[in-house]
Amino acid sequence: MSYYILMGLGIAVLLAFFIHYLIKFIKHKSLYPFMPFKYNFRRRRVTFAKTLELLSDRKAKTIIETGTSRKGLSATRGDGAGTFVFGKWAMQNNAKLFSVDIDKDAVQECKVEVENQNLQDTVTVLLDDSLNFLANYKDQVDFLYLDSYDYSRTDTAIQIASQEHHLKEFKAIESRLHKDTIVLIDDCGLPGGGKGKTVVSYMEQKGWKILIDAYQILLVHNDSL
Ligand SMILES: C[S@@+](CC[C@H](N)C(=O)[O-])C[C@H]1O[C@@H](n2cnc3c(N)ncnc32)[C@H](O)[C@@H]1O
């Protein structure tokens, strides 16, 4: 009798392990084979994948990211590690990525990882206010990734400040965008509308079209469609 109970318990434990790892596997959103399978991009996978496809289709050469990957490549689930995803794409496609951040520790952390990933000839990490950097940037931009001023799920004042900052970023660089420019905005699917709420409304009035509206919002110009 106890033999059957032990066997039943054993099977139940094995089954629980199996289900646990099956759920983990299903929830794991990798960008494999572009990035190693172990990296989980979760809610950004769909928009990152489409952006990578567009970057290749449109032969992007210049990428700007506001808000750098302050935790290196380890934060694919949290911040997204965009500097390294798009930096890797840029390296493989002879493009350049400029990532600007106002926080010196974030810049320092990111620079270390840029070296670790051997991206130093492709990715430039700059310490500056994004608004200042964008206003002084003189070349055309093929891909703009807006992901700076940290958003809050609960604090309305921070939500509005973040939304206004991302609108200002867009306006500061707008004259450097062209009909094939790709724009991605992070942290949109959040209470209060996320980082993109104000800037996306403005962009839509200016002829931009939403391609994907998920956790991130991906836009291209109507003239490119
Ligand atoms: C969410 S993180 C960026 C994550 C990164 N894009 C990634 O994919 O891993 C936001 C960053 O924006 C930076 N930031 C906030 N305000 C800024 C500003 N005015 N100019 C530039 N960077 C700013 C913060 O210091 C922080 O490091």
Side-chain angles (χ1 to χ4, degrees), residues 67-116:
T68 205
S69 290
R70 55 192 163 188
K71 292 171 192 150
L73 183 50
S74 64
T76 57
R77 289 159 54 99
D79 282 352
T83 315
F84 299 99
V85 174
F86 301 122
K88 181 175 182 183
W89 183 91
M91 186 187 64
Q92 292 178 350
N93 291 275
N94 201 23
K96 296 282 179 210
L97 186 150
F98 300 92
S99 184
V100 59
D101 202 291
I102 203 165
D103 183 294
K104 71 173 175 19
D105 294 334
V107 167
Q108 182 52 28
E109 280 286 315
C110 191
K111 279 185 173 174
V112 169
E113 188 72 12
V114 163
E115 295 273 337
N116 288 343

CSV table of all heavy atoms in Angstrom, one decimal, residues 67-116:
chain,number,residue,atom,x,y,z
A,67,GLY,N,17.8,57.1,-23.4
A,67,GLY,CA,17.7,56.2,-22.2
A,67,GLY,C,18.5,55.0,-22.6
A,67,GLY,O,18.1,54.2,-23.4
A,68,THR,N,19.6,54.8,-21.9
A,68,THR,CA,20.5,53.7,-22.3
A,68,THR,C,20.2,52.5,-21.4
A,68,THR,O,19.5,52.5,-20.4
A,68,THR,CB,22.0,54.2,-22.1
A,68,THR,OG1,22.8,53.4,-23.0
A,68,THR,CG2,22.5,54.1,-20.7
A,69,SER,N,20.8,51.4,-21.9
A,69,SER,CA,20.6,50.1,-21.1
A,69,SER,C,21.5,50.1,-19.9
A,69,SER,O,22.6,49.6,-19.9
A,69,SER,CB,20.9,48.9,-22.0
A,69,SER,OG,19.9,48.7,-23.0
A,70,ARG,N,21.0,50.7,-18.8
A,70,ARG,CA,21.7,51.0,-17.6
A,70,ARG,C,22.1,49.7,-16.9
A,70,ARG,O,23.0,49.7,-16.0
A,70,ARG,CB,21.0,51.9,-16.7
A,70,ARG,CG,19.6,51.4,-16.4
A,70,ARG,CD,18.7,52.4,-15.7
A,70,ARG,NE,17.3,51.9,-15.8
A,70,ARG,CZ,16.3,52.6,-15.4
A,70,ARG,NH1,16.4,53.8,-14.9
A,70,ARG,NH2,15.0,52.2,-15.5
A,71,LYS,N,21.5,48.6,-17.2
A,71,LYS,CA,21.9,47.3,-16.5
A,71,LYS,C,22.5,46.4,-17.5
A,71,LYS,O,22.4,45.1,-17.3
A,71,LYS,CB,20.6,46.7,-15.9
A,71,LYS,CG,20.1,47.6,-14.7
A,71,LYS,CD,18.8,47.1,-14.2
A,71,LYS,CE,18.2,48.1,-13.3
A,71,LYS,NZ,16.7,48.1,-13.3
A,72,GLY,N,23.0,46.9,-18.6
A,72,GLY,CA,23.7,46.0,-19.5
A,72,GLY,C,22.7,45.1,-20.3
A,72,GLY,O,21.6,45.5,-20.5
A,73,LEU,N,23.2,44.0,-20.6
A,73,LEU,CA,22.4,43.0,-21.3
A,73,LEU,C,21.6,42.1,-20.4
A,73,LEU,O,20.7,41.3,-20.8
A,73,LEU,CB,23.3,42.2,-22.3
A,73,LEU,CG,22.7,41.2,-23.2
A,73,LEU,CD1,21.6,41.7,-24.1
A,73,LEU,CD2,23.8,40.6,-24.1
A,74,SER,N,21.8,42.3,-19.1
A,74,SER,CA,21.1,41.4,-18.2
A,74,SER,C,19.6,41.7,-18.0
A,74,SER,O,18.9,40.9,-17.5
A,74,SER,CB,21.8,41.5,-16.8
A,74,SER,OG,21.6,42.8,-16.3
A,75,ALA,N,19.2,42.9,-18.4
A,75,ALA,CA,17.8,43.3,-18.1
A,75,ALA,C,16.9,43.2,-19.3
A,75,ALA,O,16.1,44.1,-19.5
A,75,ALA,CB,17.8,44.8,-17.5
A,76,THR,N,17.0,42.1,-20.0
A,76,THR,CA,16.1,42.0,-21.2
A,76,THR,C,14.6,41.9,-20.7
A,76,THR,O,13.7,42.4,-21.4
A,76,THR,CB,16.4,40.7,-22.0
A,76,THR,OG1,16.4,39.6,-21.1
A,76,THR,CG2,17.8,40.8,-22.6
A,77,ARG,N,14.4,41.4,-19.5
A,77,ARG,CA,13.0,41.3,-19.0
A,77,ARG,C,12.5,42.6,-18.4
A,77,ARG,O,11.3,42.8,-18.5
A,77,ARG,CB,12.9,40.2,-18.0
A,77,ARG,CG,13.1,38.8,-18.5
A,77,ARG,CD,13.5,37.9,-17.3
A,77,ARG,NE,12.6,37.9,-16.2
A,77,ARG,CZ,11.6,37.1,-16.0
A,77,ARG,NH1,11.5,36.0,-16.8
A,77,ARG,NH2,10.8,37.2,-14.9
A,78,GLY,N,13.4,43.4,-17.9
A,78,GLY,CA,13.0,44.6,-17.2
A,78,GLY,C,13.0,45.8,-18.1
A,78,GLY,O,12.0,46.1,-18.7
A,79,ASP,N,14.2,46.4,-18.3
A,79,ASP,CA,14.3,47.6,-19.2
A,79,ASP,C,14.3,47.2,-20.6
A,79,ASP,O,13.9,48.1,-21.5
A,79,ASP,CB,15.6,48.3,-18.9
A,79,ASP,CG,15.6,49.1,-17.6
A,79,ASP,OD1,14.5,49.3,-17.0
A,79,ASP,OD2,16.6,49.7,-17.2
A,80,GLY,N,14.7,46.0,-21.0
A,80,GLY,CA,14.6,45.6,-22.4
A,80,GLY,C,15.9,45.4,-23.1
A,80,GLY,O,16.0,44.7,-24.1
A,81,ALA,N,17.0,46.1,-22.6
A,81,ALA,CA,18.3,45.9,-23.2
A,81,ALA,C,18.4,46.3,-24.7
A,81,ALA,O,19.1,45.7,-25.5
A,81,ALA,CB,18.8,44.5,-23.0
A,82,GLY,N,17.6,47.4,-25.0
A,82,GLY,CA,17.5,47.8,-26.4
A,82,GLY,C,18.9,48.2,-27.0
A,82,GLY,O,19.1,48.0,-28.2
A,83,THR,N,19.8,48.8,-26.2
A,83,THR,CA,21.1,49.2,-26.7
A,83,THR,C,21.8,48.0,-27.3
A,83,THR,O,22.5,48.2,-28.3
A,83,THR,CB,21.9,49.8,-25.5
A,83,THR,OG1,21.1,50.7,-24.7
A,83,THR,CG2,23.2,50.5,-26.0
A,84,PHE,N,21.6,46.8,-26.7
A,84,PHE,CA,22.4,45.7,-27.1
A,84,PHE,C,21.7,44.9,-28.2
A,84,PHE,O,22.3,44.3,-29.1
A,84,PHE,CB,22.7,44.8,-25.9
A,84,PHE,CG,23.5,45.6,-25.0
A,84,PHE,CD1,23.0,46.2,-23.9
A,84,PHE,CD2,24.9,45.9,-25.3
A,84,PHE,CE1,23.7,47.1,-23.1
A,84,PHE,CE2,25.6,46.7,-24.5
A,84,PHE,CZ,25.1,47.3,-23.4
A,85,VAL,N,20.3,44.9,-28.2
A,85,VAL,CA,19.6,44.3,-29.3
A,85,VAL,C,19.8,45.1,-30.6
A,85,VAL,O,20.3,44.5,-31.6
A,85,VAL,CB,18.1,44.3,-29.0
A,85,VAL,CG1,17.3,43.7,-30.2
A,85,VAL,CG2,17.8,43.4,-27.8
A,86,PHE,N,19.6,46.4,-30.5
A,86,PHE,CA,19.7,47.2,-31.8
A,86,PHE,C,21.2,47.5,-32.1
A,86,PHE,O,21.6,47.7,-33.2
A,86,PHE,CB,18.9,48.5,-31.6
A,86,PHE,CG,17.5,48.2,-31.4
A,86,PHE,CD1,16.8,48.7,-30.3
A,86,PHE,CD2,16.8,47.4,-32.3
A,86,PHE,CE1,15.5,48.3,-30.1
A,86,PHE,CE2,15.4,47.0,-32.1
A,86,PHE,CZ,14.8,47.5,-31.0
A,87,GLY,N,22.0,47.5,-31.0
A,87,GLY,CA,23.5,47.6,-31.2
A,87,GLY,C,24.0,46.4,-32.0
A,87,GLY,O,24.9,46.5,-32.9
A,88,LYS,N,23.6,45.2,-31.7
A,88,LYS,CA,24.0,44.0,-32.3
A,88,LYS,C,23.6,44.1,-33.8
A,88,LYS,O,24.3,43.7,-34.7
A,88,LYS,CB,23.5,42.8,-31.6
A,88,LYS,CG,23.9,41.5,-32.3
A,88,LYS,CD,23.5,40.3,-31.5
A,88,LYS,CE,24.0,39.0,-32.2
A,88,LYS,NZ,23.6,37.8,-31.5
A,89,TRP,N,22.3,44.5,-34.0
A,89,TRP,CA,21.8,44.6,-35.4
A,89,TRP,C,22.7,45.6,-36.1
A,89,TRP,O,23.1,45.3,-37.3
A,89,TRP,CB,20.3,45.0,-35.4
A,89,TRP,CG,19.8,45.0,-36.8
A,89,TRP,CD1,19.2,44.0,-37.5
A,89,TRP,CD2,20.0,46.1,-37.7
A,89,TRP,NE1,19.0,44.4,-38.8
A,89,TRP,CE2,19.4,45.7,-39.0
A,89,TRP,CE3,20.5,47.4,-37.6
A,89,TRP,CZ2,19.3,46.5,-40.1
A,89,TRP,CZ3,20.4,48.2,-38.8
A,89,TRP,CH2,19.9,47.8,-40.0
A,90,ALA,N,23.0,46.7,-35.5
A,90,ALA,CA,23.8,47.7,-36.2
A,90,ALA,C,25.1,47.2,-36.5
A,90,ALA,O,25.6,47.4,-37.6
A,90,ALA,CB,23.9,49.0,-35.2
A,91,MET,N,25.8,46.5,-35.6
A,91,MET,CA,27.1,45.9,-35.9
A,91,MET,C,27.0,45.0,-37.1
A,91,MET,O,27.9,45.1,-38.0
A,91,MET,CB,27.6,45.2,-34.7
A,91,MET,CG,29.0,44.7,-34.9
A,91,MET,SD,29.6,43.6,-33.6
A,91,MET,CE,28.5,42.2,-33.8
A,92,GLN,N,26.0,44.2,-37.2
A,92,GLN,CA,25.9,43.2,-38.3
A,92,GLN,C,25.5,43.8,-39.6
A,92,GLN,O,25.7,43.2,-40.7
A,92,GLN,CB,24.9,42.1,-37.9
A,92,GLN,CG,25.3,41.2,-36.8
A,92,GLN,CD,24.2,40.2,-36.5
A,92,GLN,OE1,23.1,40.3,-36.9
A,92,GLN,NE2,24.6,39.3,-35.6
A,93,ASN,N,25.0,45.1,-39.5
A,93,ASN,CA,24.5,45.7,-40.8
A,93,ASN,C,25.2,47.0,-41.1
A,93,ASN,O,24.7,47.9,-41.8
A,93,ASN,CB,23.0,45.9,-40.6
A,93,ASN,CG,22.3,44.6,-40.7
A,93,ASN,OD1,22.0,44.1,-41.7
A,93,ASN,ND2,22.0,44.1,-39.5
A,94,ASN,N,26.4,47.2,-40.5
A,94,ASN,CA,27.2,48.4,-40.8
A,94,ASN,C,26.5,49.7,-40.5
A,94,ASN,O,26.6,50.6,-41.3
A,94,ASN,CB,27.6,48.3,-42.3
A,94,ASN,CG,28.8,49.1,-42.5
A,94,ASN,OD1,29.6,49.4,-41.6
A,94,ASN,ND2,29.0,49.5,-43.8
A,95,ALA,N,25.7,49.7,-39.4
A,95,ALA,CA,25.0,50.9,-39.0
A,95,ALA,C,25.7,51.4,-37.7
A,95,ALA,O,26.6,50.8,-37.2
A,95,ALA,CB,23.6,50.6,-38.8
A,96,LYS,N,25.2,52.6,-37.2
A,96,LYS,CA,25.7,53.1,-36.0
A,96,LYS,C,24.5,53.4,-35.0
A,96,LYS,O,23.4,53.8,-35.5
A,96,LYS,CB,26.4,54.5,-36.3
A,96,LYS,CG,27.6,54.4,-37.2
A,96,LYS,CD,28.8,53.9,-36.4
A,96,LYS,CE,30.0,53.8,-37.3
A,96,LYS,NZ,31.0,52.7,-36.9
A,97,LEU,N,24.8,53.2,-33.8
A,97,LEU,CA,23.8,53.5,-32.7
A,97,LEU,C,24.3,54.5,-31.7
A,97,LEU,O,25.5,54.3,-31.2
A,97,LEU,CB,23.4,52.2,-32.0
A,97,LEU,CG,22.2,52.3,-31.0
A,97,LEU,CD1,21.4,51.0,-31.0
A,97,LEU,CD2,22.7,52.7,-29.6
A,98,PHE,N,23.6,55.5,-31.5
A,98,PHE,CA,23.9,56.5,-30.4
A,98,PHE,C,22.9,56.3,-29.3
A,98,PHE,O,21.7,56.5,-29.6
A,98,PHE,CB,23.9,57.9,-31.0
A,98,PHE,CG,24.9,58.1,-32.1
A,98,PHE,CD1,24.5,57.9,-33.4
A,98,PHE,CD2,26.2,58.5,-31.8
A,98,PHE,CE1,25.4,58.1,-34.5
A,98,PHE,CE2,27.1,58.6,-32.9
A,98,PHE,CZ,26.7,58.4,-34.2
A,99,SER,N,23.4,56.1,-28.1
A,99,SER,CA,22.5,56.0,-27.0
A,99,SER,C,22.8,57.1,-26.0
A,99,SER,O,24.0,57.2,-25.5
A,99,SER,CB,22.6,54.6,-26.4
A,99,SER,OG,21.7,54.4,-25.3
A,100,VAL,N,21.8,57.9,-25.6
A,100,VAL,CA,22.1,59.0,-24.7
A,100,VAL,C,21.4,58.9,-23.4
A,100,VAL,O,20.2,58.4,-23.4
A,100,VAL,CB,21.7,60.3,-25.4
A,100,VAL,CG1,20.2,60.4,-25.8
A,100,VAL,CG2,22.1,61.5,-24.6
A,101,ASP,N,22.1,59.2,-22.3
A,101,ASP,CA,21.5,59.1,-21.0
A,101,ASP,C,22.0,60.2,-20.1
A,101,ASP,O,23.2,60.6,-20.2
A,101,ASP,CB,21.8,57.7,-20.4
A,101,ASP,CG,20.8,57.3,-19.3
A,101,ASP,OD1,20.8,58.0,-18.2
A,101,ASP,OD2,20.0,56.4,-19.5
A,102,ILE,N,21.2,60.7,-19.2
A,102,ILE,CA,21.5,61.8,-18.4
A,102,ILE,C,22.2,61.3,-17.1
A,102,ILE,O,22.8,62.2,-16.4
A,102,ILE,CB,20.2,62.6,-18.0
A,102,ILE,CG1,20.5,64.0,-17.6
A,102,ILE,CG2,19.4,61.8,-17.0
A,102,ILE,CD1,19.3,64.9,-17.6
A,103,ASP,N,22.2,60.1,-16.8
A,103,ASP,CA,22.7,59.5,-15.6
A,103,ASP,C,24.1,58.9,-15.8
A,103,ASP,O,24.3,58.0,-16.6
A,103,ASP,CB,21.8,58.4,-15.1
A,103,ASP,CG,22.2,57.9,-13.7
A,103,ASP,OD1,23.3,57.2,-13.7
A,103,ASP,OD2,21.5,58.1,-12.7
A,104,LYS,N,25.1,59.4,-15.1
A,104,LYS,CA,26.5,59.0,-15.4
A,104,LYS,C,26.7,57.5,-15.0
A,104,LYS,O,27.5,56.8,-15.7
A,104,LYS,CB,27.5,59.9,-14.7
A,104,LYS,CG,27.7,59.9,-13.2
A,104,LYS,CD,28.9,60.7,-12.9
A,104,LYS,CE,29.1,60.9,-11.4
A,104,LYS,NZ,28.6,60.0,-10.4
A,105,ASP,N,26.0,57.0,-14.0
A,105,ASP,CA,26.2,55.6,-13.6
A,105,ASP,C,25.6,54.7,-14.7
A,105,ASP,O,26.2,53.7,-15.1
A,105,ASP,CB,25.5,55.3,-12.3
A,105,ASP,CG,26.2,56.0,-11.1
A,105,ASP,OD1,27.4,56.3,-11.3
A,105,ASP,OD2,25.6,56.3,-10.1
A,106,ALA,N,24.5,55.1,-15.3
A,106,ALA,CA,23.8,54.4,-16.3
A,106,ALA,C,24.8,54.3,-17.6
A,106,ALA,O,25.0,53.3,-18.2
A,106,ALA,CB,22.5,55.0,-16.7
A,107,VAL,N,25.4,55.5,-17.9
A,107,VAL,CA,26.3,55.5,-19.0
A,107,VAL,C,27.5,54.6,-18.8
A,107,VAL,O,27.9,53.9,-19.6
A,107,VAL,CB,26.7,57.0,-19.3
A,107,VAL,CG1,27.9,57.1,-20.2
A,107,VAL,CG2,25.5,57.8,-19.8
A,108,GLN,N,28.0,54.7,-17.6
A,108,GLN,CA,29.2,53.9,-17.2
A,108,GLN,C,28.9,52.4,-17.3
A,108,GLN,O,29.7,51.7,-18.0
A,108,GLN,CB,29.7,54.3,-15.8
A,108,GLN,CG,30.9,53.6,-15.4
A,108,GLN,CD,32.1,53.7,-16.4
A,108,GLN,OE1,32.2,54.7,-17.1
A,108,GLN,NE2,33.0,52.7,-16.4
A,109,GLU,N,27.8,52.0,-16.7
A,109,GLU,CA,27.4,50.6,-16.8
A,109,GLU,C,27.3,50.1,-18.2
A,109,GLU,O,27.7,49.0,-18.6
A,109,GLU,CB,26.0,50.4,-16.1
A,109,GLU,CG,26.1,50.3,-14.6
A,109,GLU,CD,26.7,49.0,-14.1
A,109,GLU,OE1,26.3,47.9,-14.6
A,109,GLU,OE2,27.5,49.0,-13.2
A,110,CYS,N,26.6,50.9,-19.0
A,110,CYS,CA,26.3,50.6,-20.4
A,110,CYS,C,27.6,50.5,-21.2
A,110,CYS,O,27.8,49.6,-22.0
A,110,CYS,CB,25.4,51.6,-21.0
A,110,CYS,SG,24.7,51.0,-22.6
A,111,LYS,N,28.5,51.4,-20.9
A,111,LYS,CA,29.8,51.4,-21.7
A,111,LYS,C,30.6,50.1,-21.4
A,111,LYS,O,31.2,49.6,-22.3
A,111,LYS,CB,30.6,52.6,-21.3
A,111,LYS,CG,30.2,53.9,-22.0
A,111,LYS,CD,31.2,55.0,-21.7
A,111,LYS,CE,30.9,56.3,-22.5
A,111,LYS,NZ,31.7,57.4,-22.2
A,112,VAL,N,30.5,49.7,-20.2
A,112,VAL,CA,31.3,48.4,-19.8
A,112,VAL,C,30.7,47.3,-20.6
A,112,VAL,O,31.4,46.5,-21.2
A,112,VAL,CB,31.2,48.2,-18.3
A,112,VAL,CG1,31.7,46.8,-17.9
A,112,VAL,CG2,31.9,49.2,-17.5
A,113,GLU,N,29.4,47.2,-20.7
A,113,GLU,CA,28.7,46.1,-21.4
A,113,GLU,C,29.0,46.2,-22.9
A,113,GLU,O,29.1,45.2,-23.6
A,113,GLU,CB,27.2,46.1,-21.1
A,113,GLU,CG,26.5,44.9,-21.7
A,113,GLU,CD,26.8,43.6,-20.9
A,113,GLU,OE1,27.4,43.6,-19.8
A,113,GLU,OE2,26.4,42.5,-21.5
A,114,VAL,N,29.0,47.5,-23.4
A,114,VAL,CA,29.3,47.7,-24.8
A,114,VAL,C,30.7,47.0,-25.2
A,114,VAL,O,30.8,46.3,-26.2
A,114,VAL,CB,29.3,49.2,-25.2
A,114,VAL,CG1,30.0,49.5,-26.5
A,114,VAL,CG2,27.8,49.7,-25.2
A,115,GLU,N,31.6,47.3,-24.3
A,115,GLU,CA,33.0,46.7,-24.5
A,115,GLU,C,32.9,45.1,-24.4
A,115,GLU,O,33.4,44.4,-25.2
A,115,GLU,CB,34.0,47.2,-23.4
A,115,GLU,CG,34.3,48.7,-23.5
A,115,GLU,CD,35.4,49.0,-24.5
A,115,GLU,OE1,36.2,48.1,-24.7
A,115,GLU,OE2,35.4,50.1,-25.0
A,116,ASN,N,32.1,44.7,-23.4
A,116,ASN,CA,32.0,43.2,-23.2
A,116,ASN,C,31.4,42.5,-24.4
A,116,ASN,O,31.8,41.4,-24.8
A,116,ASN,CB,31.0,42.9,-22.0
A,116,ASN,CG,31.6,43.2,-20.7
A,116,ASN,OD1,32.9,43.3,-20.6
A,116,ASN,ND2,30.8,43.3,-19.7
